[in-house]
Every structure is written in structure tokens, then in C-alpha cells.
Amino acid sequence: MAKVKCRAVIMDYAGEGENTYEFEADDNLFDQPADEIVEAFMRHIDRRKLLNEPVRYELDGATRYPDKRLVSAMGALLLKDGARLPFVMMISPV
């Protein structure tokens, strides 16, 4: 299956404002439900070991905007020490 280059922009409570990540996904990613698009990005973070622990998160809400090929989401990263780091993100093709 063909791939599409994607970009996720995340604002998190504990970070330094806005962070941008690029990743590749199947070209039908933006035909999927919003929570599955977020899951694809979280799997990328987990594979790349961008956190010092396995990625666990709680998704509070996600909305897909098919006409813009954009997903917005908010939730929290769940850290193994019990901390919860709130985030807001947008995911779209590059």
C-alpha cells in the first residue's frame, strides 16, 4: 500500500509549547475514524521511543475534518509514575 507523509503538531502542558512530528502512514489513513488516526500517530511515537517509557494515553475527544484532511484531538499521556500530561494535537498530511 502507498504511504503518505503526515505531520502531528502537539501542544502539551509540560513541554516547551508546540512540538511538530512527521511520520508515514498508509495513504488511506485520513479515511479512518479520528481515534484510529490518533492511534497511528501514538504507535509512531512508541516505535521511535520518543518517551522513556511505553506510550499510554487517554483520548478525551477527537474530530475528523474530511474536507481538510485534518484531525484535532485532546487527551492526556499516562505516565508510569501516575502523572497525566494533558495534550492538544492536530494531525494532517504534509
Side-chain angles (χ1 to χ4, degrees):
M1 178 170 277
K3 298 288 185 180
V4 63
K5 199 173 236 186
C6 302
R7 177 176 296 133
V9 178
I10 300 177
M11 294 183 353
D12 68 84
Y13 173 76
E16 299 174 11
E18 184 177 289
N19 296 294
T20 302
Y21 303 92
E22 290 192 357
F23 66 104
E24 282 191 349
D26 292 339
D27 65 353
N28 68 343
L29 178 67
F30 290 91
D31 297 330
Q32 305 303 314
D35 61 324
E36 292 181 25
I37 296 170
V38 172
E39 175 65 22
F41 172 65
M42 292 298 190
R43 281 194 311 267
H44 166 75
I45 286 182
D46 199 38
R47 279 192 307 269
R48 297 272 326 271
K49 306 284 187 223
L50 297 177
L51 298 177
N52 293 327
E53 58 188 80
V55 174
R56 294 179 46 236
Y57 67 99
E58 178 178 273
L59 189 59
D60 296 327
T63 304
R64 187 169 69 94
Y65 299 91
D67 58 323
K68 297 179 179 12
R69 292 181 46 111
L70 172 76
V71 167
S72 63
M74 61 184 224
L77 290 173
L78 308 174
L79 304 182
K80 62 182 169 187
D81 67 2
R84 297 169 52 89
L85 299 176
F87 67 80
V88 174
M89 80 168 68
M90 289 189 292
I91 304 171
S92 66
V94 172

